[in-house]
Amino acid sequence: MKNLRIQTLLTLIAMLVVPAALSSAKDSDDEQRLQKAATVLGEIINIPDNIPQDLIDKAECVIVLPSVKKFAIGIGGNYGKGAMVCRGGAKFDGPWGPPAAMRLEGASIGFQLGGSATDFVLLIMNPKGAESLLSSKVKLGADASAAAGPKGRDTAAATDAQMNAEVLSYSRAKGLFAGVSLEGSTLRQDNDADKNIYGHDVTAKEIVLEGKVQSTPGGQAIDDVLNKKSPKNLSAK
């Protein structure tokens, strides 16, 4: 009888401890992804001939998707997980705030990936694009205009499509950096990851626009990169 009681007690302890441990590990994975996003972003935006400074200064938000990989489900299925960070305030004119987790999905990114991991950086260039991405699933090129971002120290050679796009996208694979079109791909909020990061249910809009959370260390690392590179919004709204 005593052995049975001990065994029952151990079973109950395991039922409580194992889910908690798994939850903690998942939390750690999402937080580590934020840290990786900060590293990738710092490496990309601090090279002068990559993303023009004036575009960064006019961006309302930035999405970073580190190490996007191809997987074999159906035809050309692909996905990536990362974070969206916006300038604070109703007019996006404050310092960069806490990140909302995002997912990129769609067949159209397959040709960009090949067999290697690819980093993506997306600039959100106006409030409409930002609010759409924070409210619902967005198909690039349909729900929000999108274009491959121009490279170089300035935007003198940028096309009209690039300068009028709501989303400008860039990729880096095997050390090579380029503007890349993600038209046809879908961006959506990753609510499960946000819950893991912040410890409770919270929407992307509540994170970014309503200031209901504080940045975690990983989110603060992304903010530090952006606040140093582009502390002030220079877009003409």
Side-chain angles (χ1 to χ4, degrees):
M1 178 66 75
K2 184 177 180 180
N3 288 339
L4 180 61
R5 289 175 180 172
I6 293 173
Q7 184 62 43
T8 301
L9 180 61
L10 291 174
T11 300
L12 290 172
I13 292 172
M15 289 173 65
L16 294 172
V17 171
V18 171
L22 291 174
S23 177
S24 177
K26 194 171 183 182
D27 290 350
S28 178
D29 287 344
D30 289 310
E31 179 66 15
Q32 287 178 12
R33 189 173 296 108
L34 294 181
Q35 295 281 2
K36 189 167 186 178
T39 299
V40 166
L41 181 63
E43 290 172 352
I44 288 176
I45 69 172
N46 287 314
I47 297 176
D49 290 329
N50 279 357
I51 303 175
Q53 179 67 43
D54 57 337
L55 286 183
I56 299 173
D57 288 338
K58 293 175 182 177
E60 317 289 2
C61 308
V62 173
I63 296 176
V64 190
L65 300 143
S67 300
V68 177
K69 294 183 179 180
K70 188 173 183 178
F71 67 100
I73 296 179
I75 301 175
N78 306 276
Y79 83 102
K81 300 179 72 174
M84 177 175 176
V85 180
C86 297
R87 300 180 193 269
K91 296 183 178 180
F92 300 97
D93 54 0
W96 297 89
M102 301 292 289
R103 293 177 70 101
L104 175 71
E105 302 166 337
S108 67
I109 61 174
F111 74 96
Q112 297 295 339
L113 302 180
S116 64
T118 302
D119 303 317
F120 289 96
V121 173
L122 286 67
L123 304 184
I124 315 305
M125 301 307 297
N126 60 33
K128 179 186 173 186
E131 289 164 3
S132 295
L133 286 165
L134 293 170
S135 301
S136 61
K137 182 168 66 174
V138 170
K139 187 172 184 179
L140 298 178
D143 302 318
S145 59
K151 289 177 56 181
R153 295 177 183 268
D154 57 54
T155 55
T159 65
D160 288 342
Q162 289 172 325
M163 297 311 297
N164 292 324
E166 292 174 313
V167 180
L168 295 173
S169 47
Y170 297 87
S171 71
R172 182 183 67 170
K174 296 182 180 180
L176 298 177
F177 180 81
V180 57
S181 174
L182 292 178
E183 281 193 298
S185 299
T186 298
L187 281 167
R188 67 175 177 85
Q189 306 83 27
D190 191 338
N191 295 323
D192 290 339
D194 283 332
K195 183 176 181 179
N196 292 332
I197 292 167
Y198 297 109
H200 56 87
D201 288 319
V202 61
T203 68
K205 184 175 287 188
E206 289 172 333
I207 293 168
V208 173
L209 297 184
E210 299 177 18
K212 292 192 175 182
V213 299
Q214 296 292 319
S215 280
T216 62
Q220 188 59 55
I222 299 174
D223 291 344
D224 289 345
V225 171
L226 288 168
N227 282 320
K228 182 178 180 180
K229 184 69 173 178
S230 180
K232 186 176 181 181
N233 190 340
L234 301 182
S235 64
K237 297 185 180 71

